[in-house]
Amino acid sequence: MAEIEDTHFETGDSGASATYPMQCSALRKNGFVMLKSRPCKIVEMSTSKTGKHGHAKVHLVGIDIFSGKKYEDICPSTHNMDVPHVKREDYQLTDISDDGYLCLMGDNGDLREDLKVPDGELGQQLKSEFDTGKELLCTVLKSCGEECVIAIKTNTALDK
């Protein structure tokens, strides 16, 4: 009998993919798709007629959900495109650290301090509204191992 080797795994995950395949013709505007290996939201989509060699082509224009960059791609409508699993969660903002990290509390009371203040206008608005004492909810988008705050809103649940 062969000796069974005792293997030790440092980490384990479900092995689930960050994306799933979907036929190009089934994609819709405002949906998500991977363009140039980046998770994008589809902002424009057009289909060309079948040509001499058969395939109708789909022209996709998407905006990267994290960086805001615009990406374009053309693929046959019968081919599969990768669609990212996108998860959206709201967190209550409890504090902003001196080094620019947000202290966020989830619905279950768990705290997380691993997200930076977003760059640009959103980050400035978040800081100024937090400094005036407003209770803020941060919407965090998570996809392909990346996370970032994409929106903030005043927490109205506390007023009731």
Side-chain angles (χ1 to χ4, degrees):
M1 287 285 280
E3 183 105 2
I4 297 173
E5 195 176 306
D6 187 30
T7 16
H8 178 70
F9 295 101
E10 286 297 319
T11 59
D13 63 359
S14 62
S17 172
T19 62
Y20 60 95
M22 185 185 267
Q23 193 167 343
C24 215
S25 57
L27 295 170
R28 292 287 168 257
K29 196 173 170 182
N30 293 332
F32 297 103
V33 69
M34 296 294 284
L35 297 176
K36 313 269 190 280
S37 309
R38 298 289 304 154
C40 297
K41 183 175 186 169
I42 302 168
V43 290
E44 209 177 298
M45 188 174 171
S46 59
T47 312
S48 65
K49 282 196 238 129
T50 51
K52 194 158 71 174
H53 300 291
H55 291 287
K57 298 257 194 300
V58 177
H59 177 242
L60 295 166
V61 178
I63 293 184
D64 189 314
I65 57 179
F66 297 119
S67 70
K69 271 191 185 161
K70 192 184 230 184
Y71 291 99
E72 291 188 50
D73 202 2
I74 296 174
C75 79
S77 64
T78 54
H79 284 206
N80 282 347
M81 292 282 286
D82 283 332
V83 177
H85 290 284
V86 177
K87 191 176 176 195
R88 176 188 296 255
E89 272 187 291
D90 282 341
Y91 291 94
Q92 186 177 336
L93 179 63
T94 56
D95 195 19
I96 300 176
S97 67
D98 298 333
D99 55 355
Y101 280 90
L102 302 172
C103 183
L104 301 168
M105 185 169 65
D107 290 338
N108 56 3
D110 288 348
L111 286 175
R112 51 178 305 185
E113 299 175 9
D114 56 347
L115 287 173
K116 270 194 171 306
V117 174
D119 295 332
E121 207 175 292
L122 183 66
Q124 290 162 354
Q125 182 189 353
L126 188 144
K127 280 182 187 166
S128 64
E129 288 193 18
F130 181 74
D131 290 340
T132 59
K134 284 188 182 172
E135 289 288 339
L136 296 175
L137 279 178
C138 297
T139 304
V140 176
L141 218 56
K142 179 180 185 177
S143 178
C144 302
E146 281 185 69
E147 288 180 282
C148 81
V149 176
I150 55 142
I152 58 168
K153 58 182 180 249
T154 308
N155 193 351
T156 52
L158 297 172
D159 301 337
K160 292 176 183 149

